[in-house]
Amino acid sequence: VIKCKAAVAWEAGKPLSLEEVEVAPPKAREVRIKIVATAVCHTDAYTLSGADPEGCFPVILGHEGAGIVESVGEGVTKVKPGDTVIPLYIPQCGECKFCKNPKTNLCQKIRITQGKGLMPDGTSRFTCKGKQIYHFMGTSTFSEYTVVADISVAKIDAAAPLDKVCLLGCGISTGYGAAVNTAKVEPGSTCAVFGLGGVGLAVIMGCKVAGASQIIGIDLNKDKYAKAKEFGATECISPQDFKKPIQEVLAEMTDGGVDYSFECIGNVGVMRAALEACHKGWGVSVIVGVAAAGQEISTRPFQLVTGRTWKGTAFGGNSLLVWGLVTDYMSKKIKVDEFVTHTLPFDKINQAFELMHTGK
């Protein structure tokens, strides 16, 4: 058993508490990882807020991490102690019908236990002050050591800087993959990206790499425009600057609507606007943001009858992206360093959440 520091969420709506936790050794087909760096994501905040129907407490949150394998359980062949890895919140077992279908990355092998905050055998590897602590998204990267299923790790280049590539554990892969993998943006196309946070910037980067000729960034916070243009946005607009709905503005700007739109906020009203900003006959809108529990999307069916497509994506539609993106980053084909705005010590994790909530 390893004793280490972890940021524990004891209950919903309260700040994280830095505690000493005990991390049990990995069982069969499990891997214990020394987490070197982790990022914070709105999904962590969503669960912490109490809005997540799958939220279990007390829990160790975090799902954008990178680290070194400390030890492995019986039967683990993919990785060995000393390997550099990124934990995957959507695993790749390679055996279930989802993994065998090239149309999806939504491996279901450990989905039920993962959703309950437990390891595949139905137990937890974390304890604190004599209490069982739940796992989160199969990763729990807000701990100096964590245990994950062996199908939930991507072994990566040992030379990759972990304080940067940890972002490939969710945000960058999700946005980039939404553009190149889910939407399959083509050269010369027009794109609109709603929400210019980390995921939105990654979508812009993906659209640019795919050869889009016009990439319009949409956000209420104009402080984000310079960064969006650095990543490839050709222009940025705010819905507050217009008297008419943003979808009408975009239709006018692009001669009838964009070829591809992406919702990176998790707001059902914006999801509708993103679909309706698409061009009749072929426009595709991809939902990337996660809306709160119980919310529903709506539009007039005629929007779809007249040839628009509504799609969704998780983790960029392909967990295998992580390996490729590390390679692309190391060969300077994609930006990663530029996504990092602040680097804080572990005990300032609540401050990191504050910075995220203020859009900084």
Side-chain angles (χ1 to χ4, degrees), residues 229-347:
K229 286 177 180 169
E230 186 189 319
F231 276 87
T234 51
E235 60 230 277
C236 295
I237 57 175
S238 167
Q240 289 175 332
D241 290 346
F242 302 94
K243 295 243 178 5
K244 59 180 77 167
I246 194 69
Q247 50 266 55
E248 289 179 26
V249 174
L250 287 162
E252 285 173 13
M253 285 174 71
T254 56
D255 186 25
V258 295
D259 301 317
Y260 300 97
S261 71
F262 302 86
E263 197 280 352
C264 308
I265 302 162
N267 179 309
V268 291
V270 178
M271 290 173 189
R272 176 173 188 159
L275 175 80
E276 295 176 0
C278 283
H279 201 288
K280 185 188 289 187
W282 62 76
V284 175
S285 187
V286 182
I287 294 174
V288 192
V290 177
Q295 296 197 327
E296 297 182 350
I297 48 173
S298 64
T299 189
R300 292 195 174 150
F302 198 64
Q303 293 285 335
L304 300 172
V305 170
T306 49
R308 294 171 190 84
T309 304
W310 223 344
K311 299 182 88 167
T313 187
F315 207 3
N318 184 353
S319 304
L320 300 172
L321 264 176
V322 173
W323 285 270
L325 288 178
V326 171
T327 305
D328 286 350
Y329 163 62
M330 297 301 278
S331 59
K332 299 196 163 41
K333 281 185 192 157
I334 62 162
K335 296 179 192 287
V336 173
D337 297 11
E338 293 81 357
F339 284 89
V340 180
T341 56
H342 298 73
T343 302
L344 299 168
F346 192 22
D347 58 8

Side-chain angles (χ1 to χ4, degrees), residues 41-337:
C41 171
H42 278 286
T43 307
D44 302 308
Y46 167 65
T47 299
L48 185 58
S49 74
D52 182 353
E54 277 196 347
C56 315
F57 295 89
V59 64
I60 295 172
L61 299 169
H63 63 286
E64 286 186 336
I68 312 288
V69 174
E70 178 272 333
S71 58
V72 300
E74 189 189 331
V76 175
T77 55
K78 287 172 57 176
V79 292
K80 63 186 186 302
D83 283 348
T84 305
V85 294
I86 291 175
L88 302 172
Y89 71 87
I90 297 180
Q92 285 286 298
C93 76
E95 296 163 1
C96 71
K97 71 176 181 180
F98 288 80
C99 282
K100 287 180 173 169
N101 189 321
K103 294 177 180 176
T104 186
N105 62 322
L106 298 175
C107 173
Q108 297 295 295
K109 179 92 174 210
I110 58 173
R111 179 71 196 90
I112 292 168
T113 48
Q114 182 172 313
K116 291 176 180 168
L118 300 167
M119 293 300 289
D121 71 346
T123 63
S124 169
R125 301 291 163 269
F126 296 121
T127 48
C128 180
K129 298 177 179 172
K131 289 198 177 104
Q132 172 186 281
I133 308 291
Y134 287 107
H135 293 250
F136 178 67
M137 290 175 72
T139 53
S140 289
T141 60
F142 293 171
S143 175
E144 290 178 326
Y145 287 85
T146 189
V147 179
V148 305
D150 67 340
I151 57 173
S152 301
V153 286
K155 181 184 170 181
I156 61 162
D157 184 343
L162 301 186
D163 61 330
K164 306 294 192 297
V165 296
C166 62
L167 291 169
L168 298 174
C170 176
I172 297 178
S173 303
T174 296
Y176 186 84
V180 301
N181 202 35
T182 305
K184 296 186 169 57
V185 171
E186 298 128 335
S189 51
T190 57
C191 302
V193 181
F194 291 78
L196 301 177
V199 174
L201 294 176
V203 171
I204 290 171
M205 181 168 73
C207 292
K208 185 181 180 184
V209 167
S213 60
Q214 186 177 18
I215 305 168
I216 305 164
I218 300 120
D219 202 297
L220 300 175
N221 183 350
K222 295 185 178 180
D223 293 341
K224 296 188 173 184
Y225 292 0
K227 194 72 144 172
K229 286 177 180 169
E230 186 189 319
F231 276 87
T234 51
E235 60 230 277
C236 295
I237 57 175
S238 167
Q240 289 175 332
D241 290 346
F242 302 94
K243 295 243 178 5
K244 59 180 77 167
I246 194 69
Q247 50 266 55
E248 289 179 26
V249 174
L250 287 162
E252 285 173 13
M253 285 174 71
T254 56
D255 186 25
V258 295
D259 301 317
Y260 300 97
S261 71
F262 302 86
E263 197 280 352
C264 308
I265 302 162
N267 179 309
V268 291
V270 178
M271 290 173 189
R272 176 173 188 159
L275 175 80
E276 295 176 0
C278 283
H279 201 288
K280 185 188 289 187
W282 62 76
V284 175
S285 187
V286 182
I287 294 174
V288 192
V290 177
Q295 296 197 327
E296 297 182 350
I297 48 173
S298 64
T299 189
R300 292 195 174 150
F302 198 64
Q303 293 285 335
L304 300 172
V305 170
T306 49
R308 294 171 190 84
T309 304
W310 223 344
K311 299 182 88 167
T313 187
F315 207 3
N318 184 353
S319 304
L320 300 172
L321 264 176
V322 173
W323 285 270
L325 288 178
V326 171
T327 305
D328 286 350
Y329 163 62
M330 297 301 278
S331 59
K332 299 196 163 41
K333 281 185 192 157
I334 62 162
K335 296 179 192 287
V336 173
D337 297 11

